[in-house]
């Protein structure tokens, strides 16, 4: 049986009491406010309440009145619902039905939700108050009058209690409010947005009203109590999360500055990409925020993941913060933003939903098993830093498996009306190199572009305002034609633009210093200058005076060790105990810390004070850990630390070939390279820093690393019965990195050491014309094979051994650096050679039966005599100018046709 929203009150009470119109009630707003006042002060006084009830067609009749006055009331509207229910019970001596209870409660809750929205938006409140004096303020609208006879069934009432915004009640209430807002002058889009937000928030106020009215409406209270408390607590938990985790995002200080990200941020531009990761030439660049806003509310994209990639320092993380807060302010509760730094995800579960719950670590995600199937809540999961997952030793694999989980989750959300959620994920472009072919097919890929002139001008204006200077001043310096082109390009990266601006402000940036700085050299020069600037100009007041007076080289040494520890941990933070342990192996740094400790109070830690000097903060693991505010700072310091050791290793000793003797050298290699430290970004910095070495140093370094690699290849270190170096490194990791993302075992450590060493060897050889090694055969010298049918297994074994750790680790670490390698007469049956850079490689007489060459670069490679039966290749395999393919064995007809080999 259906119940009318309001008429049931006047009908049931008409036989009991005369319902005259109350004197002095000028409009419906006065009647509603009068009800609130009477019920609060006198309770269900029949003589005073009944006339007010009779004057209304519904509680929402009040929105026909001047809304400024209505919204300015101090008494809560939800109390009207509970008060009228008590009034009904005491007057009729019977308990209201479920539908009758929901009819009154929902109206009061909807009004309360509307008032809450207005109070949260002062401009709307001011606008409504101004409209009170206009003719439109008292216009009656039919949708509101119709609410009095709206009929509600028990089934609809139950649904409205759980999922109000999707109910028939919400549609009727929204129509009434929307019509009123349009009369007052809003646009249809504004009216729709306001009514949707009000409807979404009504549920929480209904929960409060039902809890307050429990003794009066026992029937609905008992039914609701089966899950009502949990629902209310869930909303409180979400509110707390938004207030504590999202709202402060834009107000965080930029490094050590007095201004915030909100003060200096300018919207970024992006370029749409194809599924293969190439620029989509059919689409023009666009503002990233505008794209994300439009994508978020495009129902046709419900099955696709927003996938934002970009280089280091492009502004990915700041965009995530800014957009998350924008969604909180403008879209919640329509969309509820959840921001997760993937560097903080310690364990990837086999179930993506479980990973989300653990990463959020809030009550609403942990205690409610159905938190993702609540129709009232749509989450936007912003996952920042997918490149942080590109490491080994995680539960359930690394980046490729994680992205597959994300893709499947988004597809499930599109198919399930109970899971209307969206995912936006960001990370570095280079981290996708080895997994490009396995990416989910539902990624909507875009790449952040360098700042164009217009965006730079916006940034210069904000910078000038903050610095109290002409915006054209810094612009004129960075646009000076004497500045190298590469440096002007780097000035389009938000992070480096800030560093250049800050250093210019403090008087350490001069045009002359960058003369001739091209390529990676320009970036290294910026970081080196920034480090010197921080240590000597910007931060001395941060340090204890006694520490600040000590030499900056010791501080630099400490920061380099911190950079190495952070990168080796794989978590973007490192334990201070691990840094301290490493520093005590260095006599200079050890003396520095001991001297500083003597000058400090006993409860102070000199290392912590020293670490505070260079954009570091307490890590997510508490006071015992630290992290760099921006990943790039740690990468540069780690690169400096690696180069310091590389140079030390090649120094001659007195009366011996090397200063550091072999046992200590071998341990230092394991200590330095026994993890995922040589990322593409760090390797680029390392090779640039090595260019300052002399020719003799580079030659000696190459020789020593090559000798080490050959011993490693023979298993000399992992098979050692005494002084087993992989085990020693593992014990070191376990002692101080027990919570590390990288649970590295002995094999993982050994594989990383071998591959990182080989990577350095190839890059040193390819970067210097001085190193001409006629006997450089990392995978075996073919001239030493006595039988012409024999082949080497070294490369195949290396790939297979590496695959024990990860199927993609060889491709990622060594694959891009095989240009010009001699891999002739290798047995590579069924080997995974995809994505390898084999340009100019010598692959003569190698056995490649069923090998995977998809996406590989074979430009100018020599395939004379190679066995190519059954190889796998695709349209992305580069065959340009391949040598000897006509003399290879088993070339398929499809490959011949693809390369036009049959033509004369």
């Amino acid at each position: 049986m259906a119940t009318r929203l309001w008429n049931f009150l006047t009908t049931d009470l008409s036989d009991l009491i005369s319902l005259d119109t109350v004197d002095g009630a000028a409009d419906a707003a006065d009647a509603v406010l009068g009800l609130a006042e009477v019920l609060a002060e006198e309770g269900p006084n029949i003589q005073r309440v009944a006339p007010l009830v009779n004057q209304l067609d519904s509680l929402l009749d009040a929105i026909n009145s001047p809304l400024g006055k209505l919204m300015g009331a101090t008494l809560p509207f939800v109390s009207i619902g509970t008060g009228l229910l008590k009034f009904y019970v005491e007057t009729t001596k019977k308990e209201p039905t479920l539908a009758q209870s929901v009819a009154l409660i929902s109206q009061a809750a909807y009004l309360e939700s509307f008032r809450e929205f207005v109070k949260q938006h002062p401009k709307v409140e001011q606008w409504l108050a101004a409209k009170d004096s206009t003719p439109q303020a008292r216009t009656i609208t039919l949708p509101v009058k119709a609410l009095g006879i709206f009929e509600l069934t028990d089934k609809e009432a139950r649904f409205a209690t759980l999922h109000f915004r999707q109910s028939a009640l919400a549609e009727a209430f929204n129509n009434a409010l929307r019509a009123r807002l349009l009369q007052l002058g809003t646009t249809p889009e504004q009216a729709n947005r306001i009514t949707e937000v009000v409807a979404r928030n009504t549920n929480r106020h209904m929960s409060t009203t039902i809890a307050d009215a429990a003794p009066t409406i026992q029937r609905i209270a008992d039914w609701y109590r089966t899950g009502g408390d949990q629902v209310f607590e869930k909303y409180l938990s979400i509110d707390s999360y938004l207030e504590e985790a999202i709202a402060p995002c834009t107000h965080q200080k930029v490094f050590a500055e007095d201004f915030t990200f909100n003060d200096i941020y300018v919207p970024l531009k992006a370029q749409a990409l194809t599924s293969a990761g190439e620029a989509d030439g059919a689409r023009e660049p666009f503002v990233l925020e505008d794209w994300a806003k439009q994508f978020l509310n495009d129902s046709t994209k419900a099955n696709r993941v927003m996938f934002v990639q970009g280089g280091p320092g492009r502004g990915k993380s700041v965009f995530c913060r800014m957009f998350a807060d924008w969604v909180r302010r403008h879209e919640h509760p329509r969309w509820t933003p959840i921001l997760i730094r993937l560097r903080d995800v310690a364990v990837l579960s086999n179930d993506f939903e479980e990973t989300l719950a653990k990463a959020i670590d809030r009550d609403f995600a942990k205690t409610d098993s159905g938190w993702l199937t609540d129709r009232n809540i749509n989450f936007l999961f912003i996952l920042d830093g997918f490149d942080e997952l590109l490491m080994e030793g995680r539960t359930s694999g690394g980046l490729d498996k994680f992205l597959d989980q994300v893709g499947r989750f988004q597809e499930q959300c599109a198919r399930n009306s109970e899971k209307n959620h969206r995912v936006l994920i960001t990370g570095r472009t280079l981290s996708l190199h080895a997994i490009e072919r396995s990416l989910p097919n539902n990624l909507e890929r875009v790449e952040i572009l360098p700042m164009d002139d217009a965006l730079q001008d916006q940034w210069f204006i904000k910078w000038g305002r903050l610095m109290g200077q002409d915006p054209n001043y810094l612009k004129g310096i960075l646009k000076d034609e004497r500045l190298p082109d590469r440096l002007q390009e780097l000035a389009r990266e938000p992070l480096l633009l800030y560093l250049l601006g800050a250093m210019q402000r403090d008087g350490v940036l001069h045009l002359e210093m960058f003369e001739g700085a091209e390529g990676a050299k320009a970036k290294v020069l910026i970081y080196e200058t920034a480090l010197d600037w921080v240590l000597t100009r910007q931060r001395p007041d941060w340090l204890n005076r006694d520490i600040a007076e000590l030499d900056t080289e010791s501080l630099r040494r400490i920061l380099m060790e911190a950079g190495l520890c952070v990168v080796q941990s794989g978590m973007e933070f490192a334990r201070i105990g691990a840094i301290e342990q490493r520093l005590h192996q260095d006599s200079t740094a050890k003396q520095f810390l001991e001297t500083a400790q003597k000058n400090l109070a006993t409860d102070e830690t000199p290392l912590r004070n020293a670490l505070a000097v260079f954009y570091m903060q307490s890590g997510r693991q508490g006071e015992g850990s630290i992290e760099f505010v921006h990943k790039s700072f740690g990468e540069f310091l780690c690169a400096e630390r690696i180069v310091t050791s590389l140079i030390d290793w090649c120094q001659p000793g007195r009366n011996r070939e090397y200063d550091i003797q072999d046992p200590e050298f071998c341990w230092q290699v394991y200590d330095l390279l026994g993890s995922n430290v040589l990322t593409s970004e760090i390797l680029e910095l390392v090779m640039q820093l090595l260019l300052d070495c002399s020719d003799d140093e580079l030659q000696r370094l190459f020789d020593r690393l090559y000798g080490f690699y050959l011993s490693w290849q023979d298993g000399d270190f992992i098979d050692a019965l005494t002084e087993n170096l992989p085990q020693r490194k593992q014990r070191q990791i376990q002692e101080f990195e027990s919570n590390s993302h990288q649970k590295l075992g002995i094999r993982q450590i050994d594989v990383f050491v071998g591959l990182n060493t080989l990577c350095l060897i190839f890059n040193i050889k390819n970067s210097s014309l001085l190193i001409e090694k006629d006997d450089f055969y990392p995978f075996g010298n073919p001239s030493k094979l006595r039988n012409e049918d024999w082949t080497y297994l070294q490369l195949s074994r290396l790939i297979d051994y590496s695959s024990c750790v990860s199927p993609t680790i060889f491709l990622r670490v060594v694959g891009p650096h095989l240009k010009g390698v001699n891999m002739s007469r290798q047995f590579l049956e069924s080997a995974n050679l995809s994505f390898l850079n084999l340009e100019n490689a010598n692959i003569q007489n190698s056995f490649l039966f069923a090998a995977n060459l998809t996406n590989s670069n074979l430009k100018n490679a020599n395939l004379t005599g190679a066995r190519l039966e059954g190889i796998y290749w695709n349209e992305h395999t580069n065959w340009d100018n391949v040598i000897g393919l006509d003399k290879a064995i088993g070339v398929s007809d499809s490959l011949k046709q693809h390369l036009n080999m049959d033509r004369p």
Side-chain angles (χ1 to χ4, degrees), residues 260-376:
T260 66
F261 287 106
N262 192 51
D263 296 326
I264 195 65
Y265 180 75
V266 296
L268 304 168
K269 286 188 177 179
Q271 173 66 56
L273 303 178
T274 65
S275 59
E278 301 171 347
D280 186 349
R283 298 177 61 183
E284 293 293 324
F286 44 79
V287 176
L288 182 59
E289 279 86 347
D290 293 346
W291 169 81
K293 294 172 187 177
Q294 181 179 2
F295 195 98
L296 183 62
N297 293 304
D298 186 346
S299 59
T300 65
K301 303 284 190 180
N303 67 327
R304 299 191 65 78
V305 177
M306 289 177 276
F307 194 82
V308 181
Q309 59 191 68
R314 283 279 173 91
K316 300 179 295 296
S317 294
V318 178
F319 160 72
C320 289
R321 298 175 196 169
M322 302 297 291
F323 190 60
D325 189 54
W326 183 89
V327 173
R328 177 190 68 84
R329 289 182 290 109
H330 297 283
E331 290 285 351
H332 179 71
R334 185 184 185 188
W335 292 103
T336 299
I338 303 294
L339 177 58
I340 298 174
R341 295 195 318 171
L342 291 176
R343 69 173 66 173
D344 299 326
V345 179
V347 176
L348 294 180
S349 302
N350 289 318
D351 182 357
F352 178 67
E353 295 183 10
E354 183 179 338
T355 298
L356 287 176
K358 290 180 178 179
I360 295 170
D361 195 28
R362 294 281 180 154
D363 186 69
F364 68 86
K366 293 195 300 184
T367 61
D368 179 9
S369 60
W371 69 287
L372 288 174
T373 54
D374 188 334
R375 294 175 183 267
N376 293 302

Side-chain angles (χ1 to χ4, degrees), residues 590-635:
K590 181 179 180 181
Q591 183 180 2
F592 166 82
L593 292 175
E594 291 174 349
T595 303
Q597 184 67 68
K598 293 177 182 178
N599 297 322
L600 291 173
T602 55
D603 59 344
E604 293 188 61
T605 305
L607 179 57
R608 188 185 303 279
N609 286 352
L611 291 171
V613 72
F614 191 74
Y615 299 133
M616 304 196 78
Q617 60 190 14
S618 294
R620 292 298 181 95
Q621 296 298 307
E623 290 299 313
S625 65
I626 53 90
E627 64 179 305
F628 288 93
V629 174
H630 196 283
K631 182 178 179 180
S632 296
F633 295 134
E635 289 174 333

Side-chain angles (χ1 to χ4, degrees), residues 559-577:
L559 294 173
M560 287 162 51
E561 207 64 56
L564 176 65
C565 282
V566 167
V567 173
Q568 282 193 339
S569 75
M571 298 178 290
E572 294 303 309
F573 64 84
R575 300 198 174 279
I576 293 178

Side-chain angles (χ1 to χ4, degrees), residues 395-407:
T395 302
S396 185
L399 176 56
D400 51 347
K401 291 185 179 180
F402 179 76
L403 292 180
D404 183 63
Q405 289 181 353
V406 171

Side-chain angles (χ1 to χ4, degrees), residues 167-230:
S167 67
L169 266 182
E171 183 179 0
F173 291 3
N174 285 347
N175 286 339
L177 180 56
R178 185 183 298 109
R180 183 63 171 137
L181 291 172
L182 291 173
Q183 280 186 333
L184 292 176
T186 66
T187 65
E189 292 76 15
Q190 291 171 330
N192 288 338
R193 159 138 174 63
I194 292 173
T195 54
E196 183 174 358
V197 171
V198 171
R200 280 184 179 275
N201 264 341
T202 299
N203 256 105
R204 68 173 65 195
H205 298 296
M206 290 179 66
S207 302
T208 305
T209 306
I210 291 172
D212 292 342
T216 305
I217 47 172
Q218 194 63 41
R219 191 179 310 169
I220 186 173
D222 289 344
W223 172 71
Y224 197 85
R225 192 175 293 113
T226 60
D229 291 343
Q230 291 85 346

Side-chain angles (χ1 to χ4, degrees), residues 33 59 183 209 246 381 497 509 562 605 612 761 852 891 894:
L33 296 176
L59 283 181
Q183 280 186 333
T209 306
I246 303 299
F381 297 106
L497 179 58
L509 181 68
T605 305
I761 292 170
N852 183 357
V891 180
S894 60

